[in-house]
Amino acid sequence: MNFVHLFHKQVTRFLLSLPVRNPLRVALAISGGMDSVALFYFLLELKEKKIIESLRLFHVNHGMRRESKEEEEYLSRLSADKKIELKTFSFQGKDARHFEKEARDFRYNVFKNELYLDEFLMTAHHIDDSFEWTLMQQFKSSSLKSTLGIPVLTKNIIRPFMSVTKKQIQRYVKERDLFYFEDKSNEDDYYERNYLRLRVIPLLKEKYPSLLENYVSRHNFLAAKLGKSVWRDSHCLENKFLIAKGEGVLLCSAEKKSGPLLQE
């Protein structure tokens, strides 16, 4: 069984375990970067298998880089080729110091307004993203809930890749030879999360190879204790690797539900 098949099996099982009506109507937030492109191609296969009922795309052009227009044009061609509806939006940041927050708030507000009543927004956040968020919140907040990480499921937002790691997504994209854009702003450690991602977390992973495995297990257990778990069946707290040691995290055996964190 090859990696791509196992990846699909893992994320599909995770998605179907969520307490939502199936088949889903989905709007995907797509930037053109690796993670959202990987999720797009994954969802295309689910649509062909009728696991999801409908799929359309939301893209925000932040206008901060010369590549922004090129990304928008490419996504327009890609969506037309795949016969998937694409809606694009433009963002004009006013405060460079708080650009990340302003951009995030804009995206979620516009997506919320564009969603149909029975439609779910999907984003490509993964386990590494959640760990970064948790680490950042531990430095900035005393709230226990805020350190639990990025939710798997909110009222109308689902994050299917919270069942896989960045390393797994990278391998999936490489093995499928998918085209995506590199956002050079991700290399700028002026931004808070980039600083943690580029300077701090690599050192932690080198020193503590089981960091993500332990993080997922601990926060699954904590979410269940706080009554914030997505799954009522909270016995699913064990650690298992998806493919091979060091390549990712799978929380449960094939007979049980899988996935990392919590529901708001």
Side-chain angles (χ1 to χ4, degrees):
M1 192 177 295
N2 64 34
F3 180 88
V4 171
H5 178 79
L6 287 171
F7 184 95
H8 272 265
K9 183 178 179 181
Q10 158 75 352
V11 182
T12 301
R13 186 171 68 237
F14 173 80
L15 183 59
L16 293 177
S17 75
L18 297 175
V20 293
R21 179 191 66 84
N22 288 298
L24 295 168
R25 301 184 68 191
V26 175
L28 170 65
I30 187 167
S31 66
M34 177 188 292
D35 303 334
S36 61
V37 166
L39 184 52
F40 171 61
Y41 280 93
F42 168 77
L43 291 174
L44 279 179
E45 295 205 11
L46 293 194
K47 186 173 184 294
E48 291 178 2
K49 296 175 181 178
K50 302 188 184 304
I51 295 176
I52 62 173
E53 182 177 324
S54 63
L55 174 63
R56 53 192 192 124
L57 306 177
F58 292 164
H59 173 71
V60 173
N61 184 337
H62 296 92
M64 291 292 289
R65 298 174 292 109
R66 287 180 298 178
E67 298 85 359
S68 296
K69 186 63 176 176
E70 183 182 351
E71 291 166 356
E72 182 178 328
E73 291 172 349
Y74 172 76
L75 290 175
S76 180
R77 294 192 301 271
L78 178 64
S79 60
D81 179 63
K82 301 298 183 182
K83 296 180 173 57
I84 301 294
E85 177 189 351
L86 170 70
K87 300 202 72 171
T88 60
F89 312 90
S90 297
F91 170 72
Q92 300 295 329
K94 297 179 181 179
D95 186 349
R97 295 173 302 173
H98 303 102
F99 177 83
E100 281 188 306
K101 183 180 185 306
E102 283 190 2
R104 183 173 61 251
D105 291 345
F106 174 85
R107 289 193 299 269
Y108 279 105
N109 285 334
V110 74
F111 295 162
K112 179 181 177 181
N113 291 333
E114 291 291 333
L115 281 176
Y116 299 136
L117 288 177
D118 59 348
E119 191 174 37
F120 283 88
L121 176 69
M122 286 194 182
T123 70
H125 293 95
H126 47 75
I127 292 172
D128 298 67
D129 288 326
S130 187
F131 176 74
E132 290 168 12
W133 176 258
T134 293
L135 192 61
M136 188 165 60
Q137 292 304 308
Q138 287 178 333
F139 294 140
K140 298 171 62 177
S141 172
S142 61
S143 168
L144 186 58
K145 181 182 176 182
S146 69
T147 65
L148 282 173
I150 299 174
V152 168
L153 171 69
T154 57
K155 292 180 180 179
N156 57 358
I157 302 175
I158 298 174
R159 299 177 175 91
F161 278 179
M162 293 294 286
S163 56
V164 290
T165 65
K166 180 68 173 183
K167 187 173 181 179
Q168 289 174 325
I169 295 170
Q170 289 171 332
R171 181 172 173 184
Y172 174 77
V173 167
K174 182 178 180 180
E175 294 202 7
R176 290 202 59 180
D177 194 26
L178 302 179
F179 175 81
Y180 63 92
F181 287 89
E182 291 276 7
D183 185 348
K184 293 181 180 179
S185 68
N186 288 332
E187 300 172 7
D188 184 355
D189 62 13
Y190 168 81
Y191 297 109
E192 195 171 24
R193 289 189 68 172
N194 287 354
Y195 179 83
L196 292 175
R197 182 182 300 140
L198 297 172
R199 293 197 176 198
V200 178
I201 294 176
L203 296 176
L204 293 175
K205 286 183 176 179
E206 182 179 356
K207 185 69 174 177
Y208 306 104
S210 299
L211 180 150
L212 288 180
E213 180 184 7
N214 293 331
Y215 165 74
V216 172
S217 178
R218 180 175 62 252
H219 284 72
N220 236 337
F221 182 79
L222 183 58
K225 287 294 184 182
L226 293 175
K228 298 294 181 180
S229 177
V230 172
W231 297 277
R232 293 179 182 177
D233 185 5
S234 59
H235 70 274
C236 180
L237 302 171
E238 61 184 289
N239 296 314
K240 291 185 182 294
F241 283 106
L242 172 58
I243 306 299
K245 190 167 180 61
E247 290 201 355
V249 178
L250 171 62
L251 283 184
C252 302
S253 63
E255 294 74 34
K256 300 177 184 177
K257 302 180 181 68
S258 62
L261 301 170
L262 71 153
Q263 180 177 13
E264 280 187 340

